[in-house]
Amino acid sequence: MSSFSLGSKARAAGYRLRAFDTIGSTNTEALEAAAAGNAGGIWFVTRQQTAGRGRRGRQWTSPVGNLAATLLIVPDSDPTLAATLGFVAGVSMNRALSSILPGGVVKLGIDGADGLSGGKRARIALKWPNDVLADGAKLAGILLEAQKLNDGRHAIAIGFGVNAVAAPQGLPYPATSLVELGTTRSAEDIFEALSDAWVDTFALWQDGRGIADVLTQWRGAAAGIGAPVAVNQNGATVRGIFETIDDAGRLIVRVDDDSRIAITAGDVHFGATASARS
């Protein structure tokens, strides 16, 4: 049986928990609960997810021992602001994993793609729009899904997937796990840290009014700012320098003519892939 528990801050803030040994998809479970009238403020968590999904309907592999967790909330904010909860999730995940991973300091300054901050390597970094990297390889992913309720509000399922014991194979990008990085901390440990980190970051968000403060923290933990970047969008590629994330959460790319392009969605690549010209 699973032994998940909320962190002390999450319990004090009134969050609830439903834990499963195995489940198809924590996001699906959360959205079904919302449709049935669940008011939110509840985590759905498991050590094995058999039908997980990522962005754009991609499969998310989650073998036994990895963490799959979804937080269901029904915010009172404007639906357009609800999309920025992805940045709240990213900052929360960065803080949780940095506390778990040896040497995983939380970055406080903006840096290049190598993850250096003040001469010290930060093992954990955020990759726009929804990945968490460790030593440059994908360690975790985040997926937001929304569902309109009968009262006009939107239920938001915020899904987190963390490679605790194993990373998927055969991907077009490097991936890693906590075990490969030298720690055997369990999915339960990660979840407890995440549930508390969420409380602090969500309080900063303030129903969307504090998104500027959240974005400041996200930029401070970002991978690749100031470095070459390539963004693939429906077969087209934008190449340039990753300049920043703007106040709307869009990735700003400075291209060859020194103009700036605001990107709202796409697959991001750094390093040699970003610099290559077709």
Side-chain angles (χ1 to χ4, degrees):
M1 295 292 291
S2 62
S3 56
F4 287 99
S5 62
L6 294 162
S8 59
K9 290 182 180 180
R11 292 195 301 271
Y15 285 92
R16 296 168 291 140
L17 173 65
R18 287 189 63 190
F20 304 85
D21 290 325
T22 301
I23 195 173
S25 164
T26 54
N27 265 31
T28 296
E29 190 75 18
L31 292 173
E32 288 177 351
N38 194 298
I42 181 170
W43 285 93
F44 299 82
V45 61
T46 185
R47 298 176 78 251
Q48 183 181 25
Q49 186 172 241
T50 60
R53 57 187 178 272
R55 291 174 60 232
R56 303 182 182 181
R58 296 165 179 159
Q59 182 180 4
W60 176 267
T61 302
S62 183
V64 178
N66 281 359
L67 173 67
T70 297
L71 174 61
L72 173 66
I73 62 173
V74 185
D76 292 324
S77 61
D78 186 300
T80 59
L81 289 174
T84 64
L85 284 166
F87 295 99
V88 180
V91 171
S92 301
M93 193 80 264
N94 175 68
R95 290 185 174 277
L97 290 172
S98 294
S99 71
I100 291 290
L101 190 64
V105 295
V106 176
K107 292 166 27 178
L108 300 177
I110 294 173
D111 62 78
D114 59 2
L116 294 175
S117 179
K120 183 177 182 180
R121 178 172 295 279
R123 301 198 74 182
I124 303 296
L126 296 171
K127 181 184 175 185
W128 186 92
N130 66 342
D131 289 344
V132 184
L133 307 180
D135 297 346
K138 182 170 178 176
L139 176 62
I142 296 164
L143 176 67
L144 264 68
E145 295 183 293
Q147 180 171 281
K148 191 171 183 179
L149 304 178
N150 291 334
D151 62 6
R153 294 184 300 164
H154 285 77
I156 310 296
I158 308 166
F160 301 82
V162 182
N163 300 330
V165 299
Q169 303 298 308
L171 300 174
Y173 51 81
T176 190
S177 67
L178 287 178
V179 168
E180 291 177 55
L181 294 165
T183 181
T184 55
R185 299 291 292 274
S186 67
E188 288 84 353
D189 291 338
I190 303 164
F191 173 71
E192 186 171 342
L194 173 61
S195 67
D196 276 351
W198 172 268
V199 172
D200 291 337
T201 315
F202 186 63
L204 190 64
W205 187 68
Q206 297 183 74
D207 288 328
R209 297 186 301 276
I211 184 56
D213 293 328
V214 173
L215 286 171
T216 295
Q217 293 200 8
W218 198 99
R219 293 184 192 103
I225 291 182
V229 66
V231 185
N232 297 328
Q233 297 180 296
N234 300 319
T237 301
V238 175
R239 285 189 174 88
I241 299 298
F242 176 12
E243 192 159 272
T244 189
I245 300 293
D246 72 7
D247 291 342
R250 300 176 299 180
L251 185 147
I252 304 301
V253 179
R254 176 165 49 83
V255 295
D256 286 346
D257 65 2
D258 216 32
S259 63
R260 286 153 178 82
I261 298 175
I263 307 291
T264 57
D267 293 322
V268 174
H269 303 277
F270 298 128
T273 303
S275 301
R277 298 285 175 170
S278 57

